[in-house]
Amino acid sequence: MRRYLIVANQTLGGEHLVHRVREIMHRGPCEFYVVVPATPPRDHAWTEGEARGVATERLEAALARFRSLGAEIAGEVGDANPVQAVADVLRAEHFDEIIVSTLPPGPSRWLKLDLPHRVESIFGLPVTHVVADRETALDGRPGA
């Protein structure tokens, strides 16, 4: 059974990611694990608790949505630094591929950090990069 690690935050509720999960499920038996980095918002002063709370809400909504599709999926809120969040998960789990979901170029902080390439280079696993349209996340916040 193939195992996939999904790394997403603002884009976790996006149709682009639902479409990708469906594609993978049609190929055969698979499991997914989601890590949501507790990335702080840029538009206001924040607390670590707020960032974790928003990430937790996104994670719970996404897990329910993916399970409704029939996906075997679990997940956790991770470190605010997405590379560290991936490293923490990979210390305990094995995956065949990593799926990194980002906002489009321009608004995406993760693309400015070259996150998809960095994750692939650092961890030596295949990385699939999926990009959200300018849709709304499951929690109703702009920027999915």
Side-chain angles (χ1 to χ4, degrees), residues 35-54:
V35 63
V36 183
T39 308
R42 289 196 288 186
D43 62 347
H44 64 277
W46 55 275
T47 65
E48 184 177 333
E50 177 190 7
R52 290 195 73 75
V54 169

Side-chain angles (χ1 to χ4, degrees), residues 18 21-22 25-26 28-32 62-73:
V18 169
V21 167
R22 279 187 180 133
M25 289 171 53
H26 286 300
C30 57
E31 292 179 341
F32 299 92
L63 292 177
R65 186 172 189 192
F66 290 127
R67 287 179 182 139
S68 76
L69 301 173
E72 282 192 49
I73 192 162

